[in-house]
């Protein structure tokens, strides 16, 4: 699939999603992107506080709320330990349903943010990369089935989100695929918690390990960027 064909596919899909073809020519991000981005950060911070204060909660609303930042495209919140815990204390079907609701909300927010972002004119050069062209050629054969399969399987999901957003896959189909993929995944995770007596401290440790892995990568990179900016400012001074 050539670059012109990829762009035509993106335009066609964008038209079906209602105005996404405009994103192909965007040179800046609209207010919806910044609003959703801000909400993602706010929800993530609030959820962090809830995790530290009340991890023992069996509230379905809390589970739905947690599932939003846990399923955004860029997230440091693992959903697996939390679903396993809820399987120990809650109804399996309700736990899966509320977690899926939060995931659907996250899917809408992701779509509103990353479709315009990945189709900005000044960063769309990645679409000419050979690896991307091969990946998108394969993805476009069965986009809905691919999203469902990879969303259900225990593999990194972000690369497939990237492909879907890069071609402006319609929001309705995107959210539908998420629901079809994630509901059975969440049910099985909750069933695991209901079947196998996994201690709570093990689940908390899993969450802590995930956070630590991100911090190990993020802190040195942040320090490196701060030093580079400081040196640049000093040189200018």
């Amino acid at each position: 699939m050539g670059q012109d064909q990829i762009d035509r596919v993106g335009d066609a899909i964008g038209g079906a999603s209602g105005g996404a073809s405009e994103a192909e020519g965007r040179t800046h991000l609209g207010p919806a992107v910044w609003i959703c981005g801000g909400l993602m950060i706010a929800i993530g911070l609030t959820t962090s506080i809830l995790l530290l204060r009340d991890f023992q909660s069996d509230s379905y609303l809390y589970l739905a709320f947690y599932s939003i930042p846990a399923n955004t495209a860029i997230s440091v919140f693992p959903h697996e330990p939390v679903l396993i815990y809820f399987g120990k204390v809650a109804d399996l079907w309700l736990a899966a349903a509320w977690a899926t609701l939060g995931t659907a909300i996250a899917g809408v927010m992701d779509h509103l943010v990353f479709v315009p972002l990945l189709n900005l004119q000044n960063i769309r050069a990645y679409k000419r990369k050979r690896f991307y062209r091969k990946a998108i050629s394969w993805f476009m054969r069965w986009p809905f089935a691919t999203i469902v399969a990879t969303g259900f399987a225990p593999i990194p999901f972000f690369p497939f989100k990237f492909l879907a957003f890069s071609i402006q896959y319609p929001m309705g189909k995107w959210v539908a695929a998420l629901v079809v993929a994630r509901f059975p995944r969440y049910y099985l995770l909750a069933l695991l918690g209901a079947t196998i007596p996994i201690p709570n401290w093990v689940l908390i440790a899993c969450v802590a390990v995930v956070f630590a892995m991100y911090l190990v990568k993020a802190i040195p990179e942040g320090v490196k960027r701060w030093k580079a900016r400081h040196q640049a400012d000093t040189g200018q001074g």
Side-chain angles (χ1 to χ4, degrees):
M1 180 180 290
Q3 178 59 31
D4 292 337
Q5 187 177 358
I6 291 174
D7 287 340
R8 286 196 298 271
V9 169
D11 287 336
I13 295 177
S17 62
S21 59
E22 296 178 0
E24 289 288 343
R26 284 181 179 170
T27 57
H28 64 280
L29 300 176
V33 175
W34 296 107
I35 292 172
C36 288
L39 284 175
M40 287 181 184
I41 295 173
I43 292 172
L45 293 174
T46 305
T47 305
S48 298
I49 296 172
L50 290 174
L51 273 175
L52 294 173
R53 294 184 59 186
D54 192 25
F55 183 76
Q56 297 297 321
S57 172
D58 61 352
S59 166
Y60 295 114
L61 182 61
Y62 169 68
L63 176 59
F65 190 74
Y66 176 83
S67 298
I68 298 174
N71 287 278
T72 54
I74 301 176
S75 174
V76 299
F77 300 96
H79 65 266
E80 292 87 351
V82 176
L83 263 298
I84 292 173
Y85 166 75
F86 270 84
K88 299 166 61 175
V89 300
D91 180 86
L92 302 185
W93 294 103
L94 289 177
W98 280 87
T100 303
L101 174 62
T103 300
I105 296 173
V108 171
M109 296 173 68
D110 272 347
H111 197 281
L112 290 173
V113 171
F114 289 100
V115 167
L117 181 63
L118 292 178
N119 288 282
L120 284 173
Q121 285 185 349
N122 58 346
I123 69 169
R124 291 182 67 239
Y126 71 85
K127 293 191 176 185
R128 293 190 290 272
K129 300 294 184 180
R130 185 176 181 181
F131 179 80
Y132 172 83
R133 291 165 65 180
K134 286 186 177 180
I136 207 65
S137 176
W138 173 81
F139 178 80
M140 284 303 302
R141 295 178 183 178
W142 313 281
F144 190 91
T146 300
I147 295 170
V148 171
T150 56
F152 174 79
I155 61 175
F157 191 34
F158 176 76
F160 302 94
K161 289 185 177 183
F162 175 88
L163 292 176
F165 296 149
S166 71
I167 62 168
Q168 306 176 66
Y169 194 66
M171 182 185 292
K173 291 183 178 180
W174 164 248
V175 174
L178 284 181
V179 170
V180 173
R182 291 309 205 184
F183 183 86
R185 174 183 173 89
Y186 294 156
Y187 179 85
L188 291 177
L189 287 170
L191 180 62
L192 177 64
T195 305
I196 302 177
I198 302 175
N200 288 343
W201 69 265
V202 173
L203 301 177
I204 296 174
C206 290
V207 175
V209 167
V210 172
F211 285 152
M213 291 174 61
Y214 280 105
L215 288 175
V216 166
K217 294 181 179 181
I219 292 177
E221 183 65 22
V223 171
K224 180 180 178 181
R225 293 189 178 187
W226 179 83
K227 288 182 177 180
R229 181 173 294 182
H230 178 71
Q231 292 176 353
D233 293 340
T234 303
Q236 292 176 356

